[in-house]
Structures are given as structure tokens and as C-alpha cells.
Amino acid sequence: MPSQTISLCMIVKDEEQMLPACLESVQGAVDEIIVVDTGSTDNTVQLAERYGASVVHFKWCHDFAAARNAGLEAATGDWILFLDADERIDEQGVQELPIWAQQDGVEGYFLQIHNYTGNGSGGVTINPVLRMFRHRPEYRFQGRIHEQIAESIVSQCAEAHFHMTDVIIHHYGYSETIVSAKNKVNRNMELLQQIIEEDPANPFHDYNLGVEYLRMGEVQQALGYFQKSWNGLEPARVSYAHLVLKYEVRCLQALGQWKEAMEKITEGRSLYPGYTDLLHAQAFTQNTLGRAEEAEKILREALHMGPSAEMYHTEEGIGTFQTWFMLGQYAEQREALEEAVDAYVEAVRYKPSLLPPLYRICRILQVTGQEERLPKLIEARFRIESQEAMGKLIRILNDSRCYSAVLSILKQWDQPSIPRETIRVSKIMALWRCGDWENAALLLRKNDDFPDQEKDWLMWSLDIAPSIGQKRAIKDHAILLIEQGEDEELKPLTEGTWTSFAELLEAADHAGKREMFVGVTGAWRNTLEKNREVMPEAVLMGTQKYVSSMTSAADGHLSVIQAQAPYDVNTRPVQHIRLGLPWPNGFR
């Protein structure tokens, strides 16, 4: 049997920013590239041709299926793979797709779409979608928007067999920046309203309209369309039915209709017993209704079940790290702090890049007077195998104000190796920020590794400049930076400016330098006031840093109150308040 070839088919318009990475990702996976351009005015066409693509110029007619089908007409491969410019094939998929193309008895393959939301910090949803199918003239896309190929294949070949693969497509098109820049929501709404007029009885269109309303925050309207879609479909025969139910539950929760949400979850669990996402929704609902014990029981059931079966749209970490993190939060609610720490540790073990549970571990041990446990706990339960990982850990500990843990780790740990200058700088900063200015000054005198500006700050605050003239120069520079004077080099206000404020404020507070603390606070407020109209975005950033710094100062004062009495029932209210304070990176 001759080798089976793959044609990549795409439709694009003004995609010069995203297209190169997409086409780069498929090198070695496909045999030809067909790009249908619907009227680009940038360098999209030239870029496509540079990657060897055949470009089909197509007059846009507000119909995505028509544009897709124009690409099918031009393709010559045995298989069709279709992507958008904001998608990338995973490296492993490049190796696997040609192998899948050689299989007999399969009409199409589902690939796992990883949708990245937010702007890099959001979660990941995982959706299995039919993206590769045999190239036959009778198979054509249908639908003006959210075009589909599966219905066409099944209508032509009732016995068609589809296979689920673990090939990953990374999709970045629903990050907030891209959605806003391309006005996707308005475009989708217009096309959906048009297609509903043309095909009013199709529940798939109602579902998609509900998704757009939900994306816009119009929850009540979204709920109506999800309910209409559900009432018009057959759950056992429709691949997207579980998503309609899941989004209906999400809407009911957002509207506070908890009884209705529980009823829908119960219905869903009977229809989709392998859908772990519904257990999460059930646990959240039970906890909101005050049934914390039942919520934790359901989450442990979710851990036992593991991630949702591969045919379901799911969210990364449900059944693993998201579930452990939620268990940690619920344990904190009932003040079972050791259980919470254990749950957060498990969350990090599943996903080491996950920051919220790391911050909560640091915070709990810090507030309960057990910060000295952190180095041993980290060494025993986490794997720190690179300089980069160690650097990240040190930053998190510093952000969490766990300076004694930083000093202990830098002193005791030899592996992985850290450059000596990094160790020295980290030690000085930890000593300075926690108020041990005498030892900070001692180390600073011996250290030449500091960036000049940071060293100026430290020398000024520690009062160790080698001469009166240098002291005055450094102080003048610091005051200019604090007050954002007329020196053009100090403008515009940046995150570094606010970080300098925050570090100096915290260091002065820990060192008991009340005059400096008050002076920096006043200068900070003056800077915010003077710039609120000319640099509103910078002032917003500065305000957020200011609130964080004031929170840190308040927490320091509360820690003194807590330490004045033995740990008993009298200190628990203070501990509870401290654990509820907003903390670094917005995590609490």
C-alpha cells in the first residue's frame, strides 16, 4: 500500500503575527500546505508562500464552511488536517500524525485541543475535536460558523469509525488579548444570529450562542440558550451534549440557583459517569451550601476517578492538581492547616509550575510560627533539580516574606549548584528586607555583585556609603526616584519604581526605622497623586503595590500581637485574620 499523505488546510486573514509559528510547528508532519486567504492586507500571503504553501485567494462571504471547502478543493493529500493560524501542533504530534495516516479502517481522528485562556496566566481547557479526516470529495464542511465535518462524514458513511488520539494542538486564540484585538465576540455573534435565522431548529447553534453570551458575561441570556439547546438535543447521540450541561450548571451557579444546579449535576452524573468535571461542580455547590464535609468527600472521589475520560471537554488538573488545591482550600476553611499543607504539596507534585499552592504552604507555615519547617519540607517532598527551579523557589519564598527560610536554604543546600554571586545577593536582600541591617551591611561591604542602582538603595538605607559626598549623592538619587522629580531618566513610572518603593518600605518597617517608613509612605502617596492623570496605568500598578505593602506591614504588626501570647484559643482570631489577608500575586 502506498504511503498516505497529509494536506494541511487553513483559512486566514491578516495573520502575520501568528501564522509563522503555526506553519513552523507542522514541519515534518504534513506533505502539503493549502492556505485559503480571505483578504489579508498584511504580509500573511507572503509568509505562507515562504513556507511553501499554495495560497487560494477567496472572497469572504461570511461563511467559514465555504472557505474551508475551497481549501479541500485544492488539496491533493489522502488526509486533511485543518488548523487555524493561532494553533500549533505539539512536537510529539509531528511524529505521530504520519503514523496515524497509515492506519486502515478509520475515517477520522480526534485531536486534543488545549485552549489557553487569560494572558498566559489563565487555565487550560482540553477539548477533543475531529481535526484529521480522509480526503474524499463527498466530505464537506457545514455551518456558516463553528463549521463541522463529522455530520457530513456520517451522512455519507453511516459506519464511519473515528479514533481518539492523544495528539495535542495548542490553541492561543481565546487569550484575552487576541479575542479583544480581533473583535471575535462581535464577529461570532453576527454570524450566529444569521445562521440561527437560516437554521432555527439546530441545538448546536443555540449552544454556540450561549457560549458567546457567557464569554461576554451575559449569564442569564447564556443560560436560556444552553437550556434551549439541551431541550432540543439527544444527549446520547450528540458529542457536545456534556458541554451544554456543564455550561448550564456554570450559569446556574453564577446566578446563585444552587438547588437547580444540584439537580442538573445529578442528571449529568447519571448520563456521564466518567466526567470528573461534574464532581468538581458538585463539590463547589455543596461547599457553598455549607456542606463542607460532603464537598471534601466528593473531591476525594474525584481524585480516585482521576481526569475526565478523553472524550469529554475538561479543564487541565481536574482529578489531579486542581482537585488537591481545592481540597487544600476547604481544609483551610475549617482550619485544618496541616491537612491543607499536605493537599497543597500534592497539588505542586502534580504540577511543579503551579504557584498558588506554593504560596499557601509558605503562608500557612509562616503564620503558624513554623517557617523553620519550610527548608526540610521542600527538600523532603519536592524535587529541586535545576538552578532555574531553585531560583524560582527563592523568589517565591522572598515574595512570601519567608526570609529565614531563604537564608537557611542558601546556607545548607549545595545541590543544585547556584552561582556564588546569586547566593551573596540573595542573602543580602533577605537580611535587609527582614530587618537584620547589621549583617546586611557587613555582607554588602564585601560584595561587588550587586547592580549599581540596587546597591545605591542599600548603601543609602544602611548608611554605609564610604564618603559624605557619596552618601549625599546616593540620597539625592534615591529621593529623586522616590519623588519622581524632573530627571527624564527616571520617567516613565515603571514596575521597577514601585518595587523599589515596596522593598524600602518593608525593609524600613522590619528594621524599626519609623521615620524612613513614614517618609517613603508619604513620597509614595505624593507620586501617585501627581501622576494619576498623566500616567493612569502606571498609577494603578503603583496603587496595587501600595496596598500590598500596607498589607505586609499590617501583617507584621499582627504577627507581633500573635507572638505576645502562647498559641491557644486567644491567638486563633489573629491567625485567622492573617491567613485571610491578600498576599503576593493575588493569592490568599
Side-chain angles (χ1 to χ4, degrees):
M1 177 180 176
S3 179
Q4 299 285 288
T5 57
I6 303 175
S7 297
L8 169 65
C9 292
M10 307 178 66
I11 55 175
V12 299
K13 180 183 179 183
D14 293 334
E15 292 286 2
E16 64 179 5
Q17 298 299 319
M18 305 293 284
L19 185 61
C22 176
L23 296 182
E24 194 68 42
S25 77
V26 300
Q27 299 301 305
V30 302
D31 300 280
E32 73 170 352
I33 300 173
I34 307 295
V35 171
V36 177
D37 185 81
T38 61
S40 293
T41 58
D42 61 5
N43 293 319
T44 295
V45 171
Q46 294 88 335
L47 286 169
E49 291 174 339
R50 192 178 304 166
Y51 279 89
S54 298
V55 177
V56 176
H57 295 278
F58 181 84
K59 185 176 180 180
W60 179 239
C61 57
H62 305 283
D63 189 329
F64 281 94
R68 292 277 185 210
N69 291 332
L72 299 187
E73 296 290 342
T76 63
D78 301 298
W79 290 84
I80 301 295
L81 168 70
F82 64 100
L83 298 174
D84 291 329
D86 52 23
E87 296 176 332
R88 322 274 185 268
I89 288 287
D90 189 75
E91 290 182 12
Q92 187 66 29
V94 172
Q95 309 298 321
E96 294 179 2
L97 285 178
I99 298 173
W100 287 119
Q102 309 309 315
Q103 306 304 307
D104 294 328
V106 180
E107 288 300 298
Y109 291 105
F110 281 79
L111 279 57
Q112 304 296 323
I113 313 295
H114 285 219
N115 301 290
Y116 298 89
T117 57
N119 284 318
S121 59
V124 179
T125 62
I126 303 171
N127 194 20
V129 178
L130 182 63
R131 283 302 191 93
M132 193 165 104
F133 59 93
R134 289 195 184 273
H135 185 198
R136 303 189 192 278
E138 61 269 28
Y139 296 167
R140 289 297 181 263
F141 284 94
Q142 300 172 0
R144 186 179 293 276
I145 186 173
H146 300 297
E147 62 281 7
Q148 301 289 302
I149 193 67
E151 186 174 339
S152 173
I153 295 174
V154 172
S155 67
Q156 298 295 324
C157 179
E159 303 301 318
H161 175 66
F162 301 102
H163 185 78
M164 189 78 61
T165 76
D166 57 4
V167 173
I168 295 172
I169 296 176
H170 301 284
H171 176 222
Y172 301 96
Y174 281 113
S175 69
E176 294 170 7
T177 302
I178 295 175
V179 169
S180 175
K182 295 194 172 185
N183 200 19
K184 280 189 172 184
V185 174
N186 287 339
R187 179 204 69 187
N188 291 354
M189 290 293 288
E190 290 175 5
L191 291 176
L192 282 168
Q193 294 287 2
Q194 186 175 347
I195 199 172
I196 283 178
E197 290 180 8
E198 299 167 353
D199 186 16
N202 193 329
F204 183 64
H205 306 325
D206 294 317
Y207 156 69
N208 284 316
L209 199 55
V211 170
E212 297 302 332
Y213 275 117
L214 190 59
R215 188 174 288 129
M216 291 189 299
E218 301 288 344
V219 181
Q220 190 67 59
Q221 286 180 283
L223 175 62
Y225 280 103
F226 289 136
Q227 290 174 331
K228 181 181 177 185
S229 177
W230 183 259
N231 292 334
L233 56 75
E234 296 180 56
R237 296 174 58 86
V238 177
S239 63
Y240 63 88
H242 68 283
L243 255 180
V244 179
L245 185 141
K246 176 180 175 178
Y247 286 150
E248 183 178 341
V249 169
R250 190 169 293 176
C251 290
L252 291 168
Q253 290 173 326
L255 294 168
Q257 298 179 29
W258 302 105
K259 180 176 179 292
E260 294 85 348
M262 281 299 300
E263 291 172 353
K264 200 68 186 179
I265 291 166
T266 301
E267 180 184 3
R269 289 197 61 182
S270 67
L271 289 168
Y272 312 114
Y275 199 15
T276 317
D277 295 53
L278 294 179
L279 273 71
H280 260 236
Q282 187 176 16
F284 179 74
T285 302
Q286 292 282 31
N287 188 68
T288 304
L289 293 172
R291 303 166 189 156
E293 185 177 344
E294 182 63 23
E296 291 189 42
K297 179 181 176 182
I298 293 167
L299 287 176
R300 295 194 180 279
E301 184 181 349
L303 287 173
H304 180 73
M305 183 183 295
S308 294
E310 60 183 7
M311 75 280 294
Y312 296 124
H313 175 288
T314 186
E315 295 174 35
E316 184 188 22
I318 285 185
T320 58
F321 63 82
Q322 276 204 53
T323 310
W324 278 114
F325 184 58
M326 190 179 288
L327 269 171
Q329 291 177 305
Y330 291 173
E332 274 201 71
Q333 286 178 5
R334 55 185 174 87
E335 299 189 17
L337 299 182
E338 284 297 323
E339 287 184 37
V341 168
D342 285 339
Y344 291 143
V345 166
E346 291 302 318
V348 176
R349 282 157 63 92
Y350 269 102
K351 188 172 184 179
S353 63
L354 197 65
L355 295 183
L358 277 171
Y359 278 101
R360 291 316 295 168
I361 291 167
C362 293
R363 188 66 180 137
I364 289 170
L365 295 183
Q366 182 188 57
V367 169
T368 56
Q370 302 178 79
E371 186 180 329
E372 74 282 354
R373 283 183 53 197
L374 271 169
K376 288 185 178 180
L377 182 144
I378 291 167
E379 188 174 21
R381 303 190 65 177
F382 299 138
R383 298 177 64 183
I384 309 297
E385 297 182 327
S386 68
Q387 182 178 315
E388 181 183 3
M390 177 61 79
K392 173 184 170 183
L393 174 63
I394 295 298
R395 286 193 298 274
I396 290 171
L397 291 171
N398 274 325
D399 283 348
S400 300
R401 281 77 170 180
C402 294
Y403 303 118
S404 64
V406 171
L407 293 169
S408 177
I409 287 173
L410 292 174
K411 180 179 179 181
Q412 296 174 20
W413 288 13
D414 295 325
Q415 295 296 332
S417 60
I418 309 174
R420 284 186 171 275
E421 61 271 19
T422 302
I423 294 175
R424 288 195 294 264
V425 170
S426 298
K427 281 184 178 179
I428 292 170
M429 291 300 292
L431 289 167
W432 179 64
R433 291 177 69 177
C434 74
D436 188 354
W437 285 18
E438 181 178 350
N439 282 312
L442 184 65
L443 282 178
L444 186 61
R445 286 190 180 97
K446 302 176 181 178
N447 191 280
D448 295 324
D449 300 317
F450 256 93
D452 289 341
Q453 187 171 334
E454 287 189 36
K455 192 167 185 176
D456 286 349
W457 273 104
L458 292 175
M459 291 178 71
W460 172 62
S461 63
L462 295 170
D463 197 27
I464 60 170
S467 68
I468 297 297
Q470 188 174 358
K471 285 182 181 180
R472 186 175 293 114
I474 293 172
K475 183 175 181 180
D476 290 344
H477 176 80
I479 290 172
L480 275 173
L481 185 58
I482 288 176
E483 296 181 350
Q484 282 296 296
E486 298 304 317
D487 189 336
E488 291 301 318
E489 292 182 2
L490 302 177
K491 294 184 178 181
L493 293 169
T494 65
E495 184 175 3
T497 306
W498 306 120
T499 299
S500 297
F501 272 130
E503 288 179 347
L504 184 57
L505 193 71
E506 181 183 351
D509 185 44
H510 281 294
K513 304 288 186 179
R514 308 310 303 162
E515 184 178 346
M516 183 181 290
F517 181 89
V518 172
V520 174
T521 303
W524 198 335
R525 292 189 348 232
N526 289 339
T527 304
L528 292 172
E529 180 66 26
K530 286 195 304 182
N531 292 280
R532 64 180 181 178
E533 294 182 0
V534 292
M535 285 186 276
E537 291 184 3
V539 168
L540 175 61
M541 184 189 301
T543 303
Q544 291 169 336
K545 285 269 190 180
Y546 182 78
V547 171
S548 177
S549 294
M550 290 298 103
T551 300
S552 174
D555 181 67
H557 303 157
L558 288 171
S559 69
V560 173
I561 296 172
Q562 187 177 341
Q564 287 176 345
Y567 177 70
D568 57 23
V569 70
N570 296 322
T571 63
R572 291 179 72 86
V574 179
Q575 175 180 289
H576 182 77
I577 292 170
R578 292 184 68 198
L579 285 171
L581 289 173
W583 213 241
N585 294 344
F587 306 134
R588 65 153 300 279

